[in-house]
Amino acid sequence: MNAGRGIPIALLGLSGVFSFTGCQPQTPLTPEQQAGKHLYEVRCAHCHEENDLNLKPAPPSLHHIGEQGILPNGGAATDAAIVNVVNDGKGKMPAFRGRFNEEQMNYLIAYLRTGLK
Ligand code: HEC
């Protein structure tokens, strides 16, 4: 009986250990990536994550820029290609020319390259 009562407590203790070691926090973002994340959340996510304007087709996910280095259109996600889309817009995406200075553009790209962590 006593041993039976002891097991759940031991399991609880173990699960505590596993959730601590098994669920590591994500690699923290650098300050640059963090700044880019803020810009992305303010300027891009309402379309690219939430599609708040209900565009059809919905704005594509930008995750593959980071994971695979490719744009939604299948092309290579070079810095220049990203800068071009952001500056000039594309289809229903508005042009952001003049909205970001060079530093901010670099932050934004640094964040896109994390795969949107
Ligand atoms: C008003 C909604 C909207 C906003 C805001 C927006 N986008 Fe887009 N974006 C789109 C749409 C729609 C497309 C698809 C364009 C197409 O292929 O016709 C797109 C496409 C893209 C592409 C892929 C282009 C390609 O050729 O594959 C990138 C990269 C991109 N957006 C980045 C951004 C970034 C970075 C921001 C924030 C600075 C942003 N977008 C803000 C709607 C938006």
Side-chain angles (χ1 to χ4, degrees):
M1 277 300 240
N2 281 343
R5 285 198 189 154
I7 286 169
I9 293 166
L11 283 179
L12 269 179
L14 271 181
S15 69
V17 170
F18 280 123
S19 62
F20 181 69
T21 53
C23 182
Q24 300 262 353
Q26 290 176 331
T27 321
L29 297 177
T30 66
E32 291 76 18
Q33 291 165 343
Q34 191 63 51
K37 178 175 186 168
H38 178 72
L39 294 172
Y40 175 81
E41 283 174 350
V42 173
R43 298 291 195 172
C44 321
H46 69 93
C47 271
H48 280 276
E49 308 272 337
E50 289 146 36
N51 191 17
D52 62 345
L53 300 175
N54 211 9
L55 298 177
K56 292 189 177 79
S61 165
L62 303 179
H63 287 82
H64 293 301
I65 292 177
E67 288 152 15
Q68 296 165 20
I70 53 174
L71 288 171
N73 75 1
T78 59
D79 287 4
I82 296 171
V83 169
N84 282 343
V85 176
V86 173
N87 277 339
D88 298 339
K90 186 175 180 191
K92 291 180 182 151
M93 175 167 157
F96 284 84
R97 189 176 295 282
R99 296 269 181 171
F100 303 112
N101 63 29
E102 200 181 327
E103 197 177 35
Q104 291 172 319
M105 189 69 92
N106 287 336
Y107 293 161
L108 194 54
I109 292 171
Y111 178 61
L112 291 174
R113 294 215 180 285
T114 68
L116 307 186
K117 289 205 174 107

